[in-house]
């Protein structure tokens, strides 16, 4: 069985550069690449300032080779503009978002909205791959399996099969599910048997056990992308690779430094707390109280704190009265 490659999934607003830098500093082992949250391409051909910050070399020190930018656009000319722009900035691997389920994105035929009409998807990819721009770039797609019905993928995969993707990352949910319900593993299995492109699996790998079960069921798939599982346990890739389990001092150091980073970047205590609370909802799942019960009540206290002193107090109480599972 080939060694597994683990990629950190893009999570808009969460896996931003300051998060990725810190993750690399504390938990570097085991991640083969970090995909950036999507860089939106506007019709006047520009990236947002906020998005450009994600890919600047000075914001990714020592990680330049680990960063794969993801773009979001629904039209071939916009995708090609993005590819060119990123190539000019030195990137050789680029990913296209065909999964975002958010209504405002889907309504513009971007993200998973590109799956609404397979003929149009085919046209867009034909125009993209017909361009010389693509000659020296590794272009991958991160896709859902449909809009409403998982069986839509029976028509979508043959379209992807026409093009030389560097890999096809499949999150086997339909748009309607958002991030709920179960991934459709029957469809993923069918994709394994029928894809002409190399596949990478994404979805609900949250523990070493989930990973081992996946590898046992799909020994031929050696690339996995993990999102929420890594946010909850930033040491998950290390653990999967047989390394040490997450330690409480590590997560404490990581969360404190993340707070400092946000403090330096974001004006306003409420906004900083909002970002930290977003992380705590995931990270809190690692903690148990003295009697071995979940730390939900402690995380709830953190999440309802209204001022920095209240927030700090709730975090201190968690560290004092709970430990890593
Ligand atoms: C808050 C949030 C933000 C996300 N942002 C992106 C994004 O920018 N680009 C993308 O391709 N997927 C995005 N996703 C989807 C994840 O990359 C991933 O496909 C999904 O969470 C399923 O994988 P997981 O179960 O390992 O988390 C996002 C998911 C969440 C929950």
């Amino acid at each position: 069985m080939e060694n597994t490659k683990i990629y950190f999934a893009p999570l808009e607003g969460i896996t931003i550069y300051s998060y990725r830098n810190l993750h690399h500093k504390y938990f570097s082992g085991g991640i083969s690449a970090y995909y950036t949250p999507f860089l939106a391409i506007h019709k006047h051909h520009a990236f947002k300032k906020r998005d450009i910050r994600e890919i600047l070399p000075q914001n990714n020190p020592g990680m330049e080779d680990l960063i794969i930018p993801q773009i979001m656009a629904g039209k071939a000319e916009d995708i090609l503009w993005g590819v060119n722009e990123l190539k000019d900035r030195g990137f050789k691997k680029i990913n296209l978002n065909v999964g975002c389920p958010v209504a405002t994105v889907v309504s513009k035929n971007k993200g998973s909205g590109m799956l609404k009409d397979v003929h149009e998807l085919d046209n867009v990819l034909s125009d993209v791959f017909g361009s010389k721009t693509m000659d020296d770039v590794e272009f991958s797609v991160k896709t859902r399996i449909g809009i409403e019905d998982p069986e839509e993928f029976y028509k979508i995969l043959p379209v992807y099969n026409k093009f030389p993707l560097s890999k096809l990352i499949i999150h086997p949910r339909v748009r309607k599910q958002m991030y709920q319900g179960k991934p459709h593993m029957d469809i993923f299995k069918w994709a394994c048997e029928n894809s002409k492109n190399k596949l990478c699996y994404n979805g609900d790998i949250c523990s070493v056990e989930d990973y081992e079960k996946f590898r046992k069921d799909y020994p031929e798939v050696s690339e996995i992308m993990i999102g929420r599982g890594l946010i909850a346990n930033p040491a998950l890739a290390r653990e999967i690779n047989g390394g040490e389990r997450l330690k409480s001092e590590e997560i404490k150091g990581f969360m404190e430094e993340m707070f400092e980073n946000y403090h330096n970047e974001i004006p306003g205590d409420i906004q900083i707390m909002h970002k930290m609370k977003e992380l705590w909802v995931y990270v809190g799942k690692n903690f148990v109280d003295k009697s071995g019960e979940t730390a939900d009540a402690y995380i709830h206290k953190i999440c309802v704190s209204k001022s920095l002193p209240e927030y700090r107090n709730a975090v201190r109480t968690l560290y004092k009265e709970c430990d890593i599972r």
Side-chain angles (χ1 to χ4, degrees):
M1 197 156 71
E2 248 182 280
N3 273 351
T4 317
K5 283 195 172 144
I6 299 171
Y7 303 113
F8 209 134
L11 284 98
E12 194 205 1
I14 300 181
T15 58
I16 51 178
Y17 71 89
S18 49
Y19 181 94
R20 298 193 305 265
N21 284 323
L22 206 60
H23 184 271
H24 186 60
K25 173 173 165 189
Y26 276 79
F27 305 101
S28 63
I31 302 286
S32 295
Y34 293 79
Y35 284 68
T36 71
F38 67 81
L39 314 175
I41 296 170
H42 293 289
K43 57 173 185 264
H44 303 302
H45 288 169
F47 287 130
K48 281 188 197 156
K49 252 200 192 136
R50 192 190 69 181
D51 288 351
I52 288 191
R53 290 196 313 178
E54 288 300 317
I55 53 168
L56 292 176
Q58 64 267 35
N59 289 341
N60 296 286
M63 297 181 67
E64 294 84 352
D65 295 340
L66 291 175
I67 300 297
I68 300 183
Q70 180 188 69
I71 53 175
M72 184 194 279
K75 293 197 178 118
E77 61 184 88
D78 299 343
I79 295 170
L80 287 168
W81 177 85
V83 171
N84 254 324
E85 184 72 17
L86 291 168
K87 272 170 53 176
D88 284 351
R89 290 171 182 268
F91 292 98
K92 294 190 177 68
K93 295 181 183 175
I94 297 166
N95 178 256
L96 177 68
N97 181 322
V98 189
C100 180
V102 174
T104 47
V105 166
V106 176
S107 66
K108 292 183 200 129
N109 302 330
K110 298 179 188 174
S112 64
M114 292 182 81
L115 304 174
K116 283 192 268 186
D117 177 348
V118 282
H119 298 293
E120 188 51 27
L121 178 69
D122 195 340
N123 288 340
V124 170
L125 291 178
S126 294
D127 288 348
V128 167
F129 279 97
S131 164
K132 281 217 147 315
T133 298
M134 301 301 282
D135 283 355
D136 47 358
V137 74
E138 290 182 35
F139 189 80
S140 61
V141 165
K142 178 167 179 281
T143 189
R144 286 192 180 236
I145 55 171
I147 297 286
E148 297 268 336
D149 181 348
E151 298 199 354
E152 290 167 35
F153 207 57
Y154 295 139
K155 296 220 165 80
I156 295 167
L157 185 69
V159 174
Y160 291 135
N161 275 345
K162 291 183 172 182
F163 304 100
L165 306 178
S166 65
K167 70 177 97 227
L168 178 64
I169 304 163
I170 301 183
H171 176 54
R173 283 190 170 94
V174 290
R175 184 253 162 170
K176 187 172 77 172
Q177 287 177 276
M178 306 299 280
Y179 298 104
Q180 314 291 316
K182 291 219 174 322
H184 294 273
M185 298 311 287
D186 50 336
I187 300 289
F188 184 73
K189 183 145 202 69
W190 174 82
C192 290
E193 287 154 7
N194 292 283
S195 177
K196 294 209 165 85
N197 290 301
K198 189 175 180 88
L199 293 187
C200 169
Y201 173 79
N202 167 240
D204 295 23
I205 303 280
C206 295
S207 63
V208 176
E209 293 71 37
D210 292 340
Y211 162 79
E212 282 172 351
K213 177 167 181 351
F214 177 83
R215 283 298 270 156
K216 190 162 155 277
D217 293 347
Y218 301 89
E220 72 277 31
V221 180
S222 60
E223 304 203 2
I224 293 178
M225 175 177 266
I226 306 180
R228 293 166 297 177
L230 268 166
I231 302 293
N233 174 3
L236 182 57
R238 183 179 78 198
E239 292 183 12
I240 284 175
N241 284 304
E244 272 188 292
R245 297 199 58 174
L246 178 68
K247 294 190 286 258
S248 70
E249 318 84 73
E250 268 180 327
I251 196 74
K252 193 172 170 199
F254 178 77
M255 290 298 275
E256 279 172 8
E257 213 170 317
M258 201 61 231
F259 182 92
E260 289 310 316
N261 283 354
Y262 284 148
H263 202 259
N264 295 335
E265 280 168 26
I266 306 173
D269 293 355
I270 300 291
Q271 287 82 346
I272 298 165
M273 284 193 295
H274 175 76
K275 298 297 277 181
M276 290 306 294
K277 289 173 186 179
E278 204 175 13
L279 290 179
W280 275 117
V281 169
Y282 291 100
V283 168
K285 293 180 187 142
N286 295 296
F287 287 84
V288 283
D289 67 11
K290 293 260 185 306
S291 54
E293 296 296 319
T294 68
D296 290 357
Y298 293 86
I299 301 302
H300 180 72
K301 267 249 152 76
I302 294 175
C303 289
V304 297
S305 57
K306 292 203 167 51
S307 65
L308 268 189
E310 216 184 297
Y311 167 83
R312 287 206 165 100
N313 209 19
V315 171
R316 252 194 311 270
T317 310
L318 171 84
Y319 289 140
K320 207 164 105 206
E321 299 182 13
C322 298
D323 209 343
I324 291 286
R325 201 182 278 279

